[in-house]
Amino acid sequence: MNQAFIRLFSMFQAFLLVSLLLLQLVPAHAAASADSKTYLIGFKKQERAKVRAIQRSSVEPLTGQIVVAELTESEKQAMLEDENVAYIEEDSETELAEASLSPGQSQQVPWGVEHIGAAAAHSQQYKGQRIKIGVLDTGISAHPDLEIKGGVSYIEGEDDFGDQHGHGTAVAGVIAARDNDFGIVGVAPEAELYAIKVLDKKGHGTYSSMIQGIEWAIQNRMNILSISAGGYV
């Protein structure tokens, strides 16, 4: 009788101990996940900081000196203590700047294009020949008034650089719509257009996708970049 009671009491103690451990561990794990944020981490040198936090599987390199990573507050503080870390900033959202463009069916010269004196440049045959322009926006869709040389998408789940919003295509028109008696005529109608898709169909993106787009533009030797988006510091 006493031995049975002792065994039963021992089993109850073990169960109670395991339950207490689970009650302590599960909330801690949940809190850690809830407290994690996505950060952009810039380094002073190309070799990365030798901090345990940077070895996490969530780390994604953007450039030679910038990575994006999920960090808890304690991991962030550990990173800040490394002398090779130049800055750590939250990977905030970006969104489109406002634009109002309504091209007609017969060719028109938009107000902005006219008022910067583009026509005078065109008359001297300055039309953007051999100039590569990267448009960091919602992408660029196929259009008879545009010649798209190439591009890339940094929107998750969208491999092509087609425009599902319309803003990027409109901006591309202002930049380089052909002089062809149709639609509008752009500032540089003979420039080479490249679609760099960093904003989704709602016009939203992130600083990290913007950085990837800029890096692609550098690697592919763009002469000019157009960015019609902003964010919060």
Side-chain angles (χ1 to χ4, degrees):
M1 181 70 177
N2 290 337
Q3 290 180 347
F5 177 77
I6 291 171
R7 283 199 300 270
L8 182 62
F9 184 72
S10 298
M11 291 175 63
F12 174 75
Q13 283 182 315
F15 174 77
L16 183 61
L17 179 61
V18 171
S19 299
L20 289 172
L21 286 172
L22 288 174
L23 286 172
Q24 290 177 341
L25 290 175
V26 172
H29 173 73
S33 298
D35 291 342
S36 295
K37 293 182 180 180
T38 305
Y39 292 98
L40 298 171
I41 307 171
F43 301 100
K44 298 174 184 177
K45 300 179 182 178
Q46 286 204 346
E47 68 260 19
R48 297 180 186 170
K50 296 178 181 178
V51 178
R52 183 176 298 177
I54 204 64
Q55 304 302 325
R56 291 165 57 95
S57 59
S58 62
V59 175
E60 180 183 353
L62 298 182
T63 71
Q65 292 179 242
I66 304 174
V67 301
V68 59
E70 290 280 343
L71 300 175
T72 63
E73 184 62 28
S74 60
E75 289 170 331
K76 176 187 173 184
Q77 293 304 317
M79 293 293 297
L80 287 170
E81 291 176 3
D82 191 288
E83 61 182 14
N84 189 35
V85 173
Y87 60 85
I88 299 179
E89 296 183 5
E90 192 171 342
D91 187 16
S92 303
E93 290 189 352
T94 57
E95 60 184 11
L96 286 172
E98 292 185 6
S100 178
L101 300 169
S102 54
Q105 292 300 311
S106 58
Q107 179 165 281
Q108 299 178 5
V109 179
W111 181 90
V113 175
E114 179 181 354
H115 280 71
I116 65 170
H122 296 171
S123 67
Q124 298 296 316
Q125 299 306 308
Y126 295 122
K127 299 182 179 182
Q129 301 93 323
R130 297 183 299 280
I131 299 299
K132 300 169 72 172
I133 301 177
V135 182
L136 279 81
D137 214 290
T138 57
I140 304 176
S141 292
H143 191 282
D145 215 15
L146 299 173
E147 183 177 357
I148 309 165
K149 291 292 186 177
V152 65
S153 172
Y154 288 107
I155 299 301
E156 186 176 356
E158 299 182 21
D159 296 331
D160 69 274
F161 52 76
D163 186 2
Q164 297 184 42
H165 181 281
H167 187 276
T169 304
V171 169
V174 172
I175 294 170
R178 297 174 180 174
D179 189 359
N180 57 2
D181 298 323
F182 175 83
I184 65 174
V185 59
V187 174
E190 295 183 17
E192 299 180 9
L193 279 175
Y194 290 82
I196 306 174
K197 190 172 182 176
V198 294
L199 301 170
D200 62 19
K201 60 185 178 182
K202 295 182 179 180
H204 295 164
T206 61
Y207 285 169
S208 54
S209 61
M210 194 72 70
I211 290 170
Q212 287 176 298
I214 294 172
E215 184 68 14
W216 185 91
I218 293 171
Q219 296 299 322
N220 287 274
R221 299 181 180 279
M222 298 293 111
N223 299 109
I224 296 172
L225 292 184
S226 167
I227 303 176
S228 302
Y232 300 94
V233 177

